[in-house]
């Protein structure tokens, strides 16, 4: 199984900026690649297609299919447990 994590954030979102290094660190420790999508006028259609309603949003994909989603700021400990539960670590 191949996992991937999509991190969606906004440029003026303080929680997003705080969360990004945590997400990168947790994913790297598990060998999970992270894609970043910043909400802008240019990416609005893509965000709408992904049904992004607020930021930050994390989406876990397994073999290209979405299997889990987490919205809003979460402490590192909670994200670690969530990510491990969704990826079977």
């Amino acid at each position: 199984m191949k996992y991937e994590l999509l991190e969606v954030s906004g440029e003026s979102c303080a929680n997003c900026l705080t969360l990004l290094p945590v997400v990168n660190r947790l994913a790297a420790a598990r060998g999970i690649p992270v894609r970043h999508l910043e909400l802008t006028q240019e990416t609005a259609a893509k965000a709408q297609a992904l049904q992004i309603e607020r930021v930050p949003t994390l989406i876990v994909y397994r073999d290209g299919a979405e299997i889990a989603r987490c919205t809003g700021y979460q402490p590192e400990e909670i994200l670690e447990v969530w990510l491990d539960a969704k990826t079977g670590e």
Side-chain angles (χ1 to χ4, degrees):
M1 287 180 277
K2 182 180 174 213
Y3 291 97
E4 183 178 42
L5 186 61
L6 174 64
E7 186 275 334
V8 184
S9 61
E11 65 183 38
S12 61
C13 170
N15 284 336
C16 299
L17 294 173
T18 302
L19 196 61
L20 186 56
V22 172
V23 168
N24 286 332
R25 183 172 57 253
L26 291 175
R30 289 154 181 77
I32 300 172
V34 177
R35 283 188 299 135
H36 174 73
L37 176 64
E38 184 147 341
L39 294 185
T40 64
Q41 294 285 27
E42 293 79 28
T43 62
K46 183 170 186 154
Q48 186 174 14
L50 291 168
Q51 298 177 328
I52 303 299
E53 296 177 1
R54 57 187 267 222
V55 292
T57 294
L58 301 174
I59 303 174
V60 178
Y61 292 92
R62 180 176 58 216
D63 298 327
E66 180 179 333
I67 61 165
R69 183 179 290 229
C70 178
T71 302
Y73 178 82
Q74 303 295 326
E76 182 172 354
E77 298 79 16
I78 299 298
L79 279 179
E80 187 170 21
V81 169
W82 176 79
L83 189 57
D84 287 347
K86 301 308 176 189
T87 60
E89 292 291 320

